[in-house]
């Protein structure tokens, strides 16, 4: 470390005012202050080296490596014995490695008490440009002649701050090397903390998460505290006041600010899941209140008319402020320890993992503070975790917290990404569900429209078949009222009545069933052909085709196909003069229902205009085939018979009510899964 193994020549101290022979200086210039620095307390406000030399017998030897006297100490004198046993002159630089002293002045005296060199008074209020070597610490460069011995007296006034006297000696070369080493360490620390501050504020702007804001403020206040304690701000801002903040109190003010930011960081990183606990909220606000009071008192007392009064009672104030600071830190530590011991399944388990990481992070700084207290009590060597240790432990704390925050950021990002994906899936499922509902509504509307069209077709069918036959019956009965009824007319009327009833039965049979298998349809056609065969002697009627039990026709398909068959058969019976009429009803290779009505009659020319316009039966067959979406074809010629062919694709058409109910059940099931 800086204050060890960096001295090229040694000062030798004595516990009495009597000079004694000096041992050779260590080759590495190492120096330990324990047992070699002497102290004379309660010095006058105005330094008098002559009086200090006269009171040399009153000096007492200090036994600590880092003499520290706390707050509220009056000005004091320090001295140490110096000697140059070498045969050549030696230039030395005396340094007090503590920049917060209000006033420091060095004196070099001979054994006889004659002052041969002295420095200008310097302190944190003195501009750095007036310091030797333009340095923030108090420095005094002097020369020891060959074989010269003497005393180095130092007057130190801490003002209202802490009195400390870490004395170091260097040669000019080693002083530069030591200072460069220390500045490098603080330079790396400054860069790292600056990166943390910038990145944290960037994450805060991006995520708007207050945790990153407090983490950035925590790092910023830590940077100010470390550099202000070391004295770098005296070089960066060469003035006694930084706005309304005295330069000598910047370190203490930044310590309170860092504590406040640390409490806020703990609130959002550790305590956030358990802030519903009343006692934790009280601990949090007590800790915050303590630091706010400390900050307000410091700013009020250092910048107002009560400053002189404060100087008289500064010890009591700093005792209160130090107790408040320690109490706030201990309260937050106690809460963190309690949370870190919780089981993950407990009500406070959500805060257990971040609390453990937080306790691990603050352990190095706490260890450093404990070692500093032990070092101040001269219980451990002076070189263990001194100034550089403060920097390293602080950086280690921020690195551990950065790892924890990085893991937390990744976890939250993954959760948000999963939530976005899940939300997109749910929206897609909701859209698909809405689409299915819309499609089902369209199907219902289409079914209702089809049902309405089917009703209209049934009405037309009844009108065309049953109505026409009933009209013939009515005309026959009306005619019978004017002329005597003979047997032929009665037989004709009975035939018309029979045909009307049968047509009505066929219509009722078709519309009474939702689905009709091809086998059932073939049975109905066979029954119809059997009735027709009884009414005519010639021609011979023949039905071909089998199977089709697994193929279903809707009522509309069955009735329309049956009407085409009726019309084609009646045309063949009335006009073809055929000996044989063959009907084929089958399922072809393309899974289409194929109906063929063939006769060996006289035939006709179906393409002539008179045939197409006068035979309404042919138009009806073509119209019904078009409604079915079927392929319809008539092949005939003079003396070549007639062949009527219908090919219809089979489609399952469930009833609208059952379809809506089944679709709604599927939609509700899919919606439940999506939610």
């Amino acid at each position: 470390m800086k204050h060890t193994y960096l001295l090229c020549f040694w000062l030798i101290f004595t516990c009495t005012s009597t000079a004694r022979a000096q041992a050779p200086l260590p080759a590495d210039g190492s120096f330990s202050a324990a047992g070699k620095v002497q102290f004379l307390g309660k010095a006058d406000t105005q330094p008098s080296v002559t009086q200090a030399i006269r009171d040399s017998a009153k000096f007492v030897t200090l036994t600590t490596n880092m003499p520290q006297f706390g707050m509220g100490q009056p000005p004091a004198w320090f001295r140490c014995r110096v000697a140059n046993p070498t045969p050549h002159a030696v230039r030395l630089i005396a340094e007090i490695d503590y920049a917060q002293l209000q006033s420091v002045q060095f004196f070099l005296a001979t054994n006889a008490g004659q002052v041969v060199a002295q420095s200008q008074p310097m302190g944190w209020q003195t501009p750095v440009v007036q310091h030797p070597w333009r340095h923030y610490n108090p420095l005094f460069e002097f020369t020891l002649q060959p074989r010269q011995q003497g005393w180095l007296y130092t007057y130190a006034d801490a003002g209202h701050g802490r009195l400390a006297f870490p004395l170091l000696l260097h040669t000019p070369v080693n002083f530069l090397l030591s200072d460069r080493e220390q500045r490098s360490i603080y330079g790396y620390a400054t860069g790292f903390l600056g990166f943390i501050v910038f990145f944290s504020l960037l994450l805060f702007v991006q995520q708007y998460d207050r945790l990153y804001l407090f983490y950035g403020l925590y790092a910023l206040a830590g940077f100010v505290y470390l550099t202000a304690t070391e004295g770098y701000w005296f070089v960066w801002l060469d003035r006694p006041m930084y706005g309304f903040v005295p330069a000598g109190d910047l370190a203490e003010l930044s310590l309170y600010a860092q504590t406040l930011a640390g409490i806020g960081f703990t609130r959002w990183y550790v305590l956030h899941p358990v802030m519903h606990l009343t006692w934790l909220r009280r601990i949090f606000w007590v800790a915050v209140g303590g630091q706010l009071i400390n900050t307000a008192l410091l700013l009020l007392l250092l910048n107002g008319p009560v400053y002189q009064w404060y100087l008289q009672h500064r010890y009591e104030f700093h005792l209160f402020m130090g107790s408040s600071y320690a109490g706030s830190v201990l309260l937050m530590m106690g809460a963190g320890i309690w949370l870190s011991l919780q089981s993950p399944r407990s009500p406070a388990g959500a805060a257990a993992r971040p609390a453990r990481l937080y306790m691990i992070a603050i352990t190095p700084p706490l260890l450093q503070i404990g070692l500093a207290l032990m070092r101040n009590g001269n219980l451990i060597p002076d070189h263990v975790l001194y100034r550089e240790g403060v920097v390293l432990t602080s950086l280690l704390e921020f690195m551990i917290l950065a790892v924890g925050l990085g893991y937390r950021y990744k976890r939250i990002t993954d959760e948000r990404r999963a939530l976005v994906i899940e939300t997109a899936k749910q929206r897609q499922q909701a859209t698909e569900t809405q689409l299915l509902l819309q499609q089902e509504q369209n199907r219902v509307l289409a079914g209702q429209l089809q049902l309405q069209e089917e009703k209209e077709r049934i009405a037309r069918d009844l009108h065309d078949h049953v109505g026409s036959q009933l009209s013939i019956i009515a005309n026959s009965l009306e005619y019978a009222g004017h002329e005597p009824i003979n047997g032929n007319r009665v037989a004709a009327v009975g035939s018309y009545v029979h045909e009307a009833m049968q047509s009505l039965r066929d219509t009722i049979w078709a519309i009474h069933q939702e689905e009709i298998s091809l086998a059932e349809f073939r049975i109905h056609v066979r029954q119809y052909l059997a009735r027709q065969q009884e009414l005519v002697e010639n021609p011979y009627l023949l039905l071909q085709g089998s199977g089709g039990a697994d193929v279903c026709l809707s009522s509309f398909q069955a009735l329309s196909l049956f009407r085409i068959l009726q019309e084609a058969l009646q045309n063949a019976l009335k006009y073809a003069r055929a000996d044989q009429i063959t009907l084929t009803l089958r399922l072809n290779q393309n899974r289409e229902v194929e109906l063929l009505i063939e006769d060996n009659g006289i035939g006709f020319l179906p393409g002539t205009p008179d045939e197409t316009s006068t035979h309404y039966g042919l138009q009806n067959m073509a119209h019904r085939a078009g409604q079915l979406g079927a392929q319809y074809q008539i092949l005939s010629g003079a003396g070549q018979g007639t062949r009527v062919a219908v090919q219809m694709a089979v489609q399952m058409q469930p009833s609208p009510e059952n379809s809506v109910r089944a679709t709604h059940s599927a939609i509700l099931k899919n919606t439940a899964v999506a939610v």
Side-chain angles (χ1 to χ4, degrees):
M1 294 302 174
K2 168 183 171 182
H3 53 288
T4 59
Y5 305 106
L6 297 176
L7 311 176
C8 294
F9 295 96
W10 177 214
L11 312 170
I12 297 181
F13 301 76
T14 170
C15 295
T16 66
S17 59
T18 305
R20 62 184 182 181
Q22 302 293 324
L25 295 177
D28 57 0
S30 61
F31 167 65
S32 175
K36 301 181 179 68
V37 175
Q38 297 179 352
F39 164 73
L40 177 63
K42 297 183 179 179
D44 297 332
T45 305
Q46 297 297 328
S48 175
V49 67
T50 303
Q51 184 63 38
I53 293 174
R54 284 199 299 263
D55 295 337
S56 59
K58 299 180 180 180
F59 278 84
V60 295
T61 304
L62 299 175
T63 58
T64 60
N65 296 336
M66 291 287 297
Q68 300 191 54
F69 302 91
M71 299 288 185
Q73 294 295 321
W77 279 95
F78 299 87
R79 75 170 189 171
C80 61
R81 185 64 178 244
V82 294
N84 178 18
T86 63
H88 49 80
V90 175
R91 290 179 59 200
L92 294 177
I93 296 177
E95 176 187 11
I96 298 178
D97 195 12
Y98 183 62
Q100 306 296 328
L101 296 175
Q102 181 172 328
S103 179
V104 176
Q105 190 171 6
F106 296 95
F107 302 89
L108 180 63
T110 63
N111 290 334
Q114 181 183 1
V115 177
V116 295
Q118 68 180 41
S119 68
Q120 295 294 327
M122 65 193 77
W124 63 264
Q125 294 178 322
T126 306
V128 175
V129 293
Q130 300 179 14
H131 288 207
W133 299 76
R134 194 180 176 85
H135 202 268
Y136 45 85
N137 282 336
L139 301 176
F140 176 49
E141 183 178 4
F142 60 96
T143 302
L144 287 180
Q145 300 301 324
R147 313 297 181 182
Q148 182 182 358
Q149 298 182 3
W151 293 92
L152 180 65
Y153 287 84
T154 306
Y155 171 84
D157 183 7
H160 63 273
R162 177 171 58 94
L163 180 60
F165 191 74
L167 180 64
L168 302 175
L169 284 181
H170 315 271
T171 64
V173 173
N174 284 341
F175 171 75
L176 293 176
L177 294 177
S178 174
D179 189 64
R180 181 181 301 174
E181 176 186 354
Q182 188 172 12
R183 288 177 185 268
S184 298
I185 294 176
Y186 277 88
Y188 290 129
T190 300
F192 179 74
L193 294 177
F195 172 77
I196 288 180
V197 172
F198 171 78
F199 198 69
S200 299
L201 295 180
L202 183 64
L203 288 178
F204 169 70
V205 173
Q206 179 185 3
Q207 303 289 330
Y208 200 69
D209 190 344
R210 280 173 283 191
L211 172 64
Y212 299 111
L213 175 62
F214 281 106
Y215 181 63
L217 294 177
Y218 187 40
L220 179 61
F223 158 75
V224 175
Y225 173 71
L226 291 176
T227 52
T229 302
E230 187 64 19
Y232 284 108
W233 289 90
F234 299 147
V235 180
W236 296 338
L237 298 176
D238 191 7
R239 63 191 66 178
M241 295 291 294
Y242 304 146
F244 56 87
V245 179
D249 297 292
L250 179 63
E252 186 175 1
L253 187 62
S254 62
L255 177 62
Y256 295 150
Q258 184 185 21
T259 306
L260 274 174
I263 293 174
F265 172 77
T266 308
R267 156 70 175 87
W268 291 104
Y269 184 62
V270 180
L271 303 182
H272 183 64
V274 290
M275 279 302 287
H276 60 279
L277 300 177
T278 304
W279 65 273
L280 269 179
R281 288 202 307 271
R282 290 176 179 174
I283 286 178
F284 171 76
W285 287 115
V286 167
V288 171
Q291 298 314 301
L292 289 177
I293 292 175
N294 284 348
T295 305
L297 279 176
L298 185 63
L299 294 177
L300 176 65
L301 296 174
L302 298 180
N303 296 276
V306 296
Y307 179 66
Q308 295 299 327
W309 177 78
Y310 160 70
L311 292 179
Q312 299 176 3
H313 302 84
R314 56 191 172 186
Y315 178 77
E316 291 81 1
F317 276 106
H318 279 282
L319 181 62
F320 167 77
M321 297 167 73
S323 300
S324 176
Y325 171 79
S328 300
V329 174
L330 290 176
L331 282 176
M332 298 305 295
M333 283 181 55
I337 292 174
W338 179 81
L339 289 173
S340 64
L341 297 177
Q342 298 302 304
S343 171
R345 297 183 180 179
S346 64
R353 179 176 295 177
R356 294 191 190 104
L357 183 66
Y358 180 73
M359 295 307 300
I360 293 174
I362 66 175
T363 297
L366 294 178
L367 177 62
Q368 192 278 332
I369 293 175
L371 292 176
L373 294 176
M374 296 174 64
R375 183 186 62 241
N376 295 339
N378 203 27
L379 300 177
I380 58 176
D382 184 46
H383 64 276
V384 177
L385 289 181
Y386 181 45
R387 297 274 178 87
E388 291 79 359
V390 177
V391 177
L392 295 178
T393 53
S394 298
L395 293 182
L396 184 59
E397 174 189 5
F398 284 107
M399 289 176 63
I400 295 175
L401 292 178
V403 172
L405 289 180
Y407 173 78
R408 177 183 179 274
Y409 177 81
K410 181 180 181 303
R411 177 174 55 81
I412 293 178
T413 303
D414 293 342
E415 291 176 355
R416 288 180 178 176
R417 185 182 296 109
L419 180 61
V420 170
I421 295 175
E422 184 64 25
T423 303
K425 289 182 179 179
Q426 292 182 2
R427 288 179 179 176
Q428 182 180 1
Q429 291 176 354
T431 303
E432 293 176 353
T433 302
Q434 187 67 25
L435 181 60
L436 290 176
L437 288 173
Q438 186 65 36
Q439 291 176 351
E440 186 56 32
Q441 291 177 357
N442 294 338
R443 280 196 290 267
V444 171
L445 294 176
Q448 293 176 352
L449 179 61
Q450 184 177 356
L451 182 61
Q452 182 65 28
E453 292 177 352
E454 189 168 352
K455 289 180 180 179
E456 294 177 358
R457 283 192 292 267
I458 292 173
R460 288 196 303 269
D461 188 84
L462 293 176
H463 177 271
D464 294 342
H465 292 80
V466 180
S468 62
Q469 292 169 353
L470 291 177
S471 297
I472 295 174
I473 294 172
N475 293 332
S476 299
L477 293 177
E478 183 180 357
Y479 182 76
H482 298 84
E483 294 184 1
I485 300 176
N486 54 33
N488 293 332
R489 185 173 298 278
V490 171
V493 171
S495 175
Y496 290 142
V497 171
H498 182 270
E499 289 182 5
M501 293 177 61
Q502 188 59 44
S503 179
L504 185 60
R505 289 192 188 99
D506 293 336
T507 303
I508 294 174
W509 166 80
I511 66 175
H512 185 67
Q513 304 181 68
E514 294 181 358
E515 296 178 353
I516 302 172
S517 67
L518 186 60
E520 293 174 343
F521 184 76
R522 188 181 291 107
I523 293 173
H524 188 76
V525 172
R526 185 175 289 110
Q527 293 173 352
Y528 172 74
L529 293 180
R531 292 193 302 269
Q532 295 298 320
Q533 190 69 60
E534 293 176 356
L535 299 177
V536 297
E537 297 181 358
N538 289 313
Y540 176 70
L541 304 180
L542 176 64
L543 177 63
Q544 298 179 347
S546 62
D550 58 339
V551 178
C552 294
L553 305 176
S554 67
S555 60
F556 168 68
Q557 290 176 324
L559 183 59
S560 299
L561 196 62
F562 186 75
R563 293 304 185 204
I564 295 175
L565 183 148
Q566 278 184 316
E567 187 68 34
L569 184 60
Q570 292 300 323
N571 290 339
L573 291 174
K574 291 180 181 180
Y575 308 114
R577 304 175 189 175
D579 297 330
Q580 182 175 345
I581 301 176
T582 302
L583 285 84
T584 303
L585 185 61
R586 64 188 179 186
L587 190 68
N588 62 19
Q589 296 179 352
N590 297 326
R591 302 293 293 177
E592 295 176 334
V593 174
E594 188 175 25
L595 174 64
L596 300 176
I597 301 99
E598 300 175 295
D599 64 70
N600 57 356
I602 60 175
F604 70 100
L605 297 177
T608 58
D610 56 342
E611 291 288 344
T612 304
S613 60
T614 57
H615 289 81
Y616 296 104
L618 299 179
Q619 297 179 7
N620 287 337
M621 286 192 295
H623 180 69
R624 290 182 182 276
Q627 289 180 328
L628 289 174
Q631 297 180 6
Y632 169 75
Q633 186 180 28
I634 296 180
L635 299 177
S636 182
Q640 298 179 2
T642 303
R643 184 177 186 269
V644 179
V646 180
Q647 291 182 350
M648 179 183 65
V650 180
Q651 296 182 356
M652 298 297 295
Q653 297 184 1
S655 62
E657 294 79 10
N658 294 338
S659 175
V660 171
R661 190 178 300 110
T663 305
H664 282 184
S665 300
I667 291 172
L668 291 176
K669 181 178 179 181
N670 293 336
T671 305
V673 171
V675 174

